[in-house]
Amino acid sequence: MPMTMYTGRTTLSKFLIEHLADQGDQGQLAALLVDVAAAVKSISAICGKGALGGAYGGAESVNVQGEQQQRLDVMANEVFIEHCNWGGQLAAMASEENADLVAVQGERGRYLLTFDPLDGSSNIEMNVSVGTIFSVLDYAQEKSPETADFLQPGHRQVAAGYAIYGPATMLILTAGKGTHGFTLERDIGNFVLTHPDMRIAEDTQEFAINVSNERFWEPPVQRYVAECKDGQTGIRQKDFNMRWIASMVADVHRIMMRGGVFMYPRDSRENVTQGRLRQLYEACPMAFLVEQAGGAASTGRERILDVRPGGLHQRIPVILGSRNEVERVQQYHQDYDSGDDQPYRSPLFNDRSLYSEEA
Ligand code: F6P
């Protein structure tokens, strides 16, 4: 489906003033999103310097998930916190890079912000697109927020977005009224609305998954991918293409632009039995953006936005993108759970008990 390209000059600030006029919060959400956009511009400038910026290489720290941090991870995190700290719109923040909540300095506002400052950071030194993902929850309460206040299902988000640092830097946003894309005009420093009302095609012939993990997947995912690979002569009767950038933002952005299905399912590897991606920093904001663009987002068994997170760094299976394909994968999970999938059962994976304690 060809997308209408916006040729006018609607800047992000102008868009937000009009788009959020009915928010009833004296412009706090718009002001917060402008701060987020400022953080994104700074991170874009740092990423854009590449090896010349002195930010390549491993940091001396590991993050809360025990992963080695890149220097750019640490810098992007500091930049993001600094930009959002002082505006007076936030009650607290949670970052993928921090074990605990990040307290807000300065005046306190009504929103909670979660973010992954630099997603896909294993790609940084290869000069492959990386991104920032964020989500906003409402918290209009007097008491200081605690971790439990962040553990809300994703349908409670009031805004979410991602920035992609690619050949162009783009910011893709939703505040529950469609998904809209802005392109950074680098020489001027403005985000300009270039992709209003993005829509994800309902059908697709393209899937994105790390196939090297195939032997660890559950049977419904194995079944779905096997059928895609069988192509024209298989049950799907059409050829599929596959893409995997290993940078969620870049993979999801491609799906926003031309459809597709992105999958990071849970699998039988240690640490992946509940999924690999983080619910608050990756899955929920992306699910909100995808649904607002007409797509679907599921764990395979539930709508992602309906799952209550168990902790700040909770992981979750993610299957999102073109609606009809996501629904098919969900159906395969149902068939498997009810035992209706016997003809498709793969001999590679037979042990349901591997997941039983997580279910
Ligand atoms: O969570 C970080 C991340 O880099 C995502 O951006 C990406 O989709 C995924 O991990 C890639 O994981 P893997 O290296 O296992 O394919």
Side-chain angles (χ1 to χ4, degrees):
M1 185 182 60
M3 190 172 302
T4 318
M5 297 299 292
Y6 191 87
T7 50
R9 306 291 297 169
T10 301
T11 60
L12 177 67
S13 313
K14 179 167 183 262
F15 172 86
L16 290 173
I17 290 166
E18 288 168 7
H19 193 70
L20 301 176
D22 58 356
Q23 196 70 17
D25 69 350
Q26 282 83 43
Q28 276 201 51
L29 182 58
L32 171 59
L33 295 175
V34 167
D35 283 350
V36 167
V40 160
K41 285 182 212 171
S42 297
I43 298 171
S44 170
I46 297 169
C47 290
K49 288 196 169 71
L52 299 174
Y56 275 7
E60 272 156 26
S61 44
V62 289
N63 68 12
V64 57
Q65 7 270 333
E67 297 161 342
Q68 154 93 50
Q69 287 177 303
Q70 304 294 309
R71 258 192 256 169
L72 260 173
D73 280 325
V74 176
M75 282 172 82
N77 195 39
E78 284 167 2
V79 164
F80 207 92
I81 292 171
E82 189 54 29
H83 274 87
C84 299
N85 228 339
W86 302 98
Q89 293 89 33
L90 286 178
M93 296 180 251
S95 163
E96 196 201 57
E97 301 297 335
N98 292 76
D100 302 312
L101 296 189
V102 180
V104 168
Q105 274 133 49
E107 210 183 312
R108 227 188 73 185
R110 65 179 281 168
Y111 292 108
L112 303 177
L113 180 67
T114 71
F115 56 92
D116 178 354
L118 206 60
D119 183 69
S121 54
S122 66
N123 282 317
I124 290 168
E125 294 190 17
M126 271 56 74
N127 198 18
V128 170
S129 297
V130 291
T132 296
I133 312 174
F134 67 91
S135 154
V136 182
L137 290 162
D138 200 1
Y139 180 77
Q141 294 185 39
E142 286 297 308
K143 73 171 181 66
S144 290
E146 297 164 9
T147 297
D149 298 308
F150 280 79
L151 307 184
Q152 305 183 32
H155 62 245
R156 305 276 292 272
Q157 293 170 103
V158 293
Y162 66 81
I164 176 165
Y165 310 115
T169 289
M170 290 189 71
L171 181 63
I172 313 298
L173 278 182
T174 185
K177 291 185 275 181
T179 295
H180 309 278
F182 301 80
T183 303
L184 180 61
E185 195 171 25
R186 287 187 207 272
D187 38 356
I188 311 223
N190 274 338
F191 273 110
V192 179
L193 181 64
T194 47
H195 297 68
D197 265 321
M198 299 171 87
R199 303 304 293 168
I200 299 177
E202 286 189 358
D203 291 300
T204 183
Q205 287 177 233
E206 196 161 79
F207 65 97
I209 192 166
N210 184 341
V211 176
S212 69
N213 299 320
E214 186 165 13
R215 66 194 182 283
F216 304 116
W217 300 335
E218 287 187 278
V221 178
Q222 289 175 338
R223 174 184 169 190
Y224 176 78
V225 172
E227 289 179 358
C228 291
K229 288 196 292 184
D230 285 346
Q232 186 94 52
T233 52
I235 194 171
R236 301 298 308 273
Q237 297 181 317
K238 52 184 185 178
D239 290 330
F240 279 78
N241 188 24
M242 196 209 83
R243 286 285 180 271
W244 186 249
I245 303 174
S247 182
M248 187 190 196
V249 165
D251 278 312
V252 171
H253 189 66
R254 185 189 58 255
I255 288 168
M256 286 284 183
M257 299 304 296
R258 68 175 191 204
V261 59
F262 170 95
M263 291 172 282
Y264 213 121
R266 66 183 191 174
D267 68 42
S268 61
R269 286 172 298 160
E270 204 185 335
N271 293 332
V272 193
T273 55
Q274 297 190 26
R276 157 99 158 80
L277 303 176
R278 282 69 173 188
Q279 186 171 353
L280 287 180
Y281 315 109
E282 295 169 311
C284 283
M286 289 307 201
F288 191 18
L289 288 155
V290 163
E291 283 198 4
Q292 285 293 316
S298 168
T299 65
R301 294 180 167 87
E302 277 174 282
R303 178 182 178 227
I304 286 176
L305 294 182
D306 287 341
V307 181
R308 188 173 284 280
L312 274 187
H313 299 283
Q314 176 76 51
R315 295 175 192 256
I316 188 169
V318 175
I319 294 153
L320 57 75
S322 293
R323 173 165 292 283
N324 291 338
E325 293 301 302
V326 173
E327 284 174 359
R328 178 181 284 265
V329 182
Q330 234 178 322
Q331 182 61 50
Y332 288 3
H333 281 79
Q334 238 178 61
D335 292 349
Y336 172 66
D337 292 345
S338 61
D340 286 347
D341 66 335
Q342 292 303 333
Y344 311 102
R345 190 70 58 76
S346 161
L348 284 175
F349 198 108
N350 275 321
D351 192 354
R352 288 160 198 261
S353 65
L354 276 173
Y355 298 108
S356 52
E357 74 273 20
E358 325 285 351

